[in-house]
Amino acid sequence: MPDRTRAEILRGLFAAYMSSDRVAVEEMLTADFRFTSPYDDAIDKATYFERCWRNSDWIERHELERIFVEGDEAFVTYNCVAKSGRNFRNTEFFAFDGDRIKRIDVYFGATYENGVFVKQQDSEPHPPTPS
């Protein structure tokens, strides 16, 4: 394992996403990277950047709440605050290959607006995640 810990790599990933540093994010992911969410089934790196990267300007900040690392795997729970006032909590599972991220699986949590729970409708898409 290089000098940076996996927790530091994950913090760096979220920071690079918020600063729109696509090059840094690309370098943190393996060539065979896969991304899965309720809307995406094991999409590749190019498709991830096409679908998820271009949709990040609506995010005000991420509040990292928990990072659990065990071996080559980690979980991160965060609160995402949108510029609109909505916020939601997600948990993401990360698999590493060395010091790069090989896989991210996203699990969506509840959405709130001004501190009040907002029930999601099937027809209302959930905003994409940072990873």
Side-chain angles (χ1 to χ4, degrees):
M1 179 81 206
D3 293 338
R4 294 193 319 159
T5 68
R6 296 222 162 94
E8 290 169 333
I9 291 168
L10 293 169
R11 285 185 188 92
L13 176 73
F14 279 85
Y17 193 86
M18 288 308 303
S19 66
S20 298
D21 189 347
R22 180 177 171 154
V23 172
V25 173
E26 286 183 26
E27 290 175 356
M28 291 182 201
L29 307 178
T30 63
D32 61 345
F33 171 78
R34 292 288 183 254
F35 177 83
T36 299
S37 77
Y39 301 113
D40 306 290
D41 185 20
I43 60 175
D44 65 13
K45 190 174 182 177
T47 306
Y48 166 78
F49 279 104
E50 179 183 319
R51 288 186 191 171
C52 302
W53 185 262
R54 60 186 167 85
N55 295 324
S56 62
D57 63 342
W58 56 270
I59 300 172
E60 181 178 315
R61 70 183 181 277
H62 291 113
E63 299 166 347
L64 300 182
E65 297 177 350
R66 292 174 203 89
I67 299 176
F68 293 103
V69 178
E70 185 170 329
D72 291 337
E73 300 174 331
F75 281 98
V76 176
T77 298
Y78 60 90
N79 184 42
C80 181
V81 180
K83 292 176 182 174
S84 70
R86 277 195 174 189
N87 70 298
F88 59 91
R89 181 169 284 114
N90 285 349
T91 294
E92 298 188 11
F93 171 78
F94 295 82
F96 285 85
D97 182 2
D99 63 348
R100 292 188 177 208
I101 299 164
K102 183 177 180 95
R103 188 175 95 222
I104 301 174
D105 296 334
V106 178
Y107 302 93
F108 292 163
T111 298
Y112 298 86
E113 189 163 355
N114 300 316
V116 177
F117 175 76
V118 176
K119 183 176 180 177
Q120 298 300 296
Q121 304 298 317
D122 289 337
S123 62
E124 180 179 319
H126 194 289
T129 63
S131 310

